[in-house]
Structures are given as C-alpha cells and as structure tokens.
Amino acid sequence: MSAAESTAHALKALNRPVVSGSVSVISYQKSLSVDLTGQKDSFSNAAGQFLEGLPGEFPPEFSGIVQQVTGRVSEALPGLLSQLPDELDFRARQTVIRPNVTAVMPLYSGGAIPAIQHGAEAGAELARARQAGAQDLSQVRLVQSYFGQQLAAALLASATGTRDAFDKHLGNAQALFREGVIPRSRVLEVQVARDAAQRALERAAMEEHNASDSLARLLDASGGVRPTTPLFVNGSGLEPLDDFLATATGPGQPQMRAAQATRHLADSGVDLAKSRMRPQAFAFGSYNFNRSDAIPVDPDWIVGLGLRFTLLSNIDRRDTLDAANARQSAAENAARDMRKTIEIETSRAYNLVETARRSFLLLDSNMKAAEENLRVHEIGFREGEDTASQLIDARNALSLAQTQRIASAYEYVVSLSALLVASNRGDSFRDYLLRPDRITAP
C-alpha cells in the first residue's frame, strides 16, 4: 500500500516542466569552401556602372578631370579584384565546454497525463482495499486460532473427565466382579471403553498442544499464550439480515472498494489508449551559459513550441483501444458479480451463525437428559441390573453432547467473526463479546 501511494504521489507533477542541466566538452573541426567568382563579377559590373555615371554628377568644367580619375580607377579595378581568390577555404578546429539548462513543459498530452495520474490513484486505492481485506482476514484467523485453542482446551477437559469417569466405572466393575455380582466379561467391556477414553484423551492433549503452539507463533509470543476469554454464544438472535447486507455492499467494504478501484483503473486504461490517437503539444527552452566559447552555429538561447502527432505506429492503436474497452467491460462485470458474491457470503455466514446459536441452545436440554440418563445407568450398573454396554453408551452419549456443545460454540464465534468481516463490521466483534446475553461454554 505504501509503495502504491508513493507511486501515485510521484506522478502528481507530470504536467509540470522538466528542467535539466548538462555540461558537455566537445572537440570539433569545421571545413567550409565558398565560391567568390559570382560575387567578384557582380562587384565589377556594379563598379563599372557607377564609374560611367560619375562624370554626369559634376559641373562641365570638371568633366575632364573626373573622366581621367574614373578611367584610372577602371583600369586599376581588375587588378584589385584579381587579388581576391575565386574560392575561399575555411577550417576551424576547437574544443569547447557547453553548460546548458534545458526545460520542456507539456501543454497538451492528449489525455495521457490525467489517465496516468488517475490510474496511479486507482492503484493506490486498490492497494488500500487489499490491505483492509488482509486485515479482515487476519482478524478472522486470529479468532480461529484464539478460540481454537479454547476449543482444544475444552475438548481436553471433556476427554479428561470422560477418562476419569471410566476409571471410576472400571473400579466399580472390578469390585462388583470380586463380589460375584457381574461376570468378568462385563469388566473387560468397561476396560476396553476406558482404554478408548485414554486414547481420546491423548489425542485431545496433542491437539491442545498444537493449538497453543499455533496461537503463540501467530502472536510471536515465545513464552506461550493463555487465553482468558472463553467460548461464548449470544442467547438472543442477530439483527435482521438486511442490516448486514446493507453494510456488506456499501462503499467501505474492502472487496467492494477493490472492485471499484479496478473499474477506475480500467477507465484510466481506456483514456490512455485514446490519448495515443491525439496530438501532443509542448513548450521547450534552452540556455547556453558559455556564449564566448560556443560553436558558431549554436544559439545563445532558444525557446519554442512543439506539436507532435504519431502518423504511423508499430503498435495498432485501434486494437489497443479495443483491448482497453474489453478490460473496462470485464471490470464492470466483475464489480457486479462481486456484489452478488458478497451478498451470498454474508447470507451464508448469517445462517451459519444462527444455526450454531440454535444448536448450542438446544444442546442444553440434551446435556441435561444425557446426564440424567448416565446417573440412572450408573445406579443400575452398581445394582447389577444394567449391563456394561448400557453404562458405556450412556457415558459416550454425555461425552458426545459435551463435544457437540463446545463445537457449536466454536462454530458460532468463528462464523460471527466471518459475518462481521464480510459485512464490514469487524470492529463490532467486541460488542457481541460483551453483550449481557452472552453464554459461555463449556
């Protein structure tokens, strides 16, 4: 995002002049050859005509003297002109230092400069939208990891309780066997169930360790993290779905922002393609700081206006414009599809939250029924009226209900986080956490 914003800021001055200074050392030789024959003939004819008309410019009494003078000049003129060569050769060799300042300022770019600037701004907005989306995904990931550790800890506690309960059942079964109340086969059934509970406990311990390690690494906490916020479910229902849809498709939603920025970027591409079919105008100037030591043909300074138009290009400009228009159309379609996708994701997350909440609340009655059923079978087993299988099934039913209740709470918090992020309400997760209708699990 910082790179994209810096790029957009760097292109804001494209319509300003570019001023550059340069110093160059040049060694050169120049040879010239000038034919003077025509100039000598023209001068001779003009001088003859002048001398012929000169006597008439003086009084008659001086005409003789004037004619004598003009005659002598006419006789001397060819000799004088013969001293001049028919061809003049000139050669110059010099080393000069040329310090120059040159400025070029665009006056009209055909729309290329605004297109580039708008495209850079759209790229910066796209980067900001992606950064916001990455933050939202990080929040969901944090919720998953944080409450995932709580889930693993709750499942470990449940597995520990189940294993301890089976240890107690096994002790009771062995005591009943010694008293001859039940056969050894029932003791073996309880033993098998107890061993299965031990294996489940070991798996739960490993999962809890992995979850804790993942959370610590995610938060760069080398000493480990001990979450203090338990899994929870809000007892009352969510706001209406339309409230979430209204914010999910609003302009502030990161995915919508990214779609709009992509559209603006495609629009800039169309404008840039059109600019290649238009002329460009610019002003320029240059100043030589070393006039005394310059090439004879170099000006001291120069200013001017330029107009440039590409008559024939090695890239088909019409096809380039067609491609830009196609990308613009694709971006518009993608923006419409993104709106539908966000609505679908928001609706799906909303339903998942409500399903998890209702399942959690319904499992309360299941838990109570499973606990009562287990109590009855424990009494029946101690009295020798119930089989070991009935006791094992009752214990497993209670363990399953506990696991499902914990899983429903985890599904609720994760789905709630995803819903809030999808609807651009990620900051309100804390509000649900602190609501008075919060029910913790287990």
Side-chain angles (χ1 to χ4, degrees):
M1 183 188 69
S2 298
E5 289 179 341
S6 297
T7 299
H9 188 269
L11 298 177
K12 286 186 175 180
L14 282 179
N15 55 347
R16 297 179 184 176
V18 177
V19 180
S20 58
S22 65
V23 177
S24 57
V25 179
I26 300 176
S27 294
Y28 75 95
Q29 175 179 303
K30 181 64 179 177
S31 299
L32 294 175
S33 180
V34 181
D35 186 5
L36 301 179
T37 303
Q39 283 73 18
K40 290 169 62 178
D41 293 342
S42 298
F43 177 78
S44 178
N45 293 333
Q49 292 176 1
F50 174 75
L51 293 175
E52 289 178 359
L54 191 61
E57 300 293 332
F58 295 92
E61 60 269 19
F62 298 110
S63 61
I65 298 175
V66 173
Q67 287 180 354
Q68 292 179 2
V69 173
T70 56
R72 291 182 179 181
V73 173
S74 298
E75 292 176 357
L77 187 61
L80 293 174
L81 293 176
S82 65
Q83 300 301 315
L84 298 176
D86 293 337
E87 187 175 85
L88 177 63
D89 293 327
F90 171 80
R91 175 174 294 178
R93 176 178 293 178
Q94 190 177 7
T95 299
V96 298
I97 299 176
R98 301 175 62 183
N100 288 331
V101 171
T102 303
V104 179
M105 179 176 178
L107 300 178
Y108 176 70
S109 63
I113 290 178
I116 293 173
Q117 291 174 331
H118 295 162
E121 286 293 339
E125 176 59 23
L126 179 60
R128 285 189 287 267
R130 289 176 175 172
Q131 190 252 8
Q135 286 183 334
D136 288 344
L137 291 178
S138 296
Q139 178 175 330
V140 175
R141 182 183 177 191
L142 178 60
V143 169
Q144 289 176 333
S145 296
Y146 185 92
F147 289 101
Q149 197 277 341
Q150 292 289 62
L151 170 66
L155 292 178
L156 176 60
S158 176
T160 302
T162 301
R163 194 278 315 271
D164 293 343
F166 273 112
D167 280 341
K168 181 179 178 181
H169 296 331
L170 180 60
N172 292 335
Q174 290 173 343
L176 292 174
F177 171 72
R178 287 193 297 271
E179 295 176 2
V181 178
I182 61 174
R184 180 172 175 76
S185 60
R186 292 188 180 182
V187 177
L188 295 176
E189 288 183 51
V190 178
Q191 179 70 51
V192 171
R194 186 269 173 199
D195 293 343
Q198 178 63 37
R199 291 192 299 271
L201 173 60
E202 293 175 358
R203 286 194 299 269
M206 180 186 65
E207 293 295 336
E208 195 277 337
H209 174 76
N210 291 337
S212 298
D213 181 71
S214 298
L215 180 60
R217 293 182 185 278
L218 179 64
L219 299 179
D220 292 327
S222 57
V225 179
R226 292 186 178 276
T228 57
T229 303
L231 289 165
F232 71 94
V233 172
N234 296 113
S236 58
L238 297 172
E239 299 89 332
L241 175 60
D242 291 341
D243 292 352
F244 291 94
L245 292 176
T247 56
T249 56
Q253 210 275 351
Q255 290 176 299
M256 291 298 298
R257 287 172 56 191
Q260 292 297 330
T262 303
R263 287 184 58 186
H264 295 160
L265 191 61
D267 294 341
S268 300
V270 172
D271 294 338
L272 185 60
K274 290 180 179 178
S275 70
R276 296 191 178 102
M277 301 180 180
R278 299 168 182 162
Q280 297 179 350
F282 55 93
F284 61 91
S286 179
Y287 186 85
N288 186 357
F289 284 94
N290 189 11
R291 303 183 186 180
S292 61
D293 190 18
I295 298 176
V297 296
D298 276 355
D300 295 337
W301 55 266
I302 183 173
V303 293
L305 299 174
L307 182 66
R308 179 173 57 211
F309 183 77
T310 302
L311 300 177
L312 182 63
S313 174
N314 56 356
I315 298 176
D316 194 311
R317 289 172 286 179
R318 175 57 59 182
D319 285 345
T320 301
L321 179 58
D322 292 341
N325 286 327
R327 283 190 289 268
Q328 183 186 49
S329 178
E332 292 175 353
N333 292 334
R336 287 192 294 268
D337 289 343
M338 179 57 67
R339 183 183 184 90
K340 298 177 183 177
T341 300
I342 293 174
E343 290 177 347
I344 293 173
E345 291 179 352
T346 302
S347 178
R348 182 177 300 169
Y350 183 90
N351 293 332
L352 287 174
V353 173
E354 277 298 294
T355 300
R357 185 184 68 85
R358 294 173 183 175
S359 297
F360 181 87
L361 296 177
L362 290 174
L363 283 168
D364 278 344
S365 59
N366 289 0
M367 285 278 296
K368 294 177 181 178
E371 290 172 353
E372 179 62 22
N373 181 54
L374 176 61
R375 188 185 68 83
V376 171
H377 283 293
E378 284 179 338
I379 296 174
F381 183 76
R382 287 196 299 270
E383 297 296 331
E385 296 179 359
D386 288 351
T387 64
S389 298
Q390 291 175 312
L391 177 62
I392 293 170
D393 291 342
R395 171 57 64 182
N396 288 336
L398 176 59
S399 177
L400 178 61
Q402 291 174 340
T403 302
Q404 289 177 337
R405 189 169 182 268
I406 296 170
S408 295
Y410 177 74
E411 184 179 359
Y412 177 84
V413 294
V414 173
S415 300
L416 177 62
S417 175
L419 172 64
L420 296 177
V421 166
S423 58
N424 199 30
R425 296 185 177 188
D427 295 338
S428 62
F429 183 83
R430 178 180 174 85
D431 298 336
Y432 289 86
L433 179 63
L434 300 178
R435 275 169 48 169
D437 64 342
R438 187 185 73 169
I439 304 172
T440 59

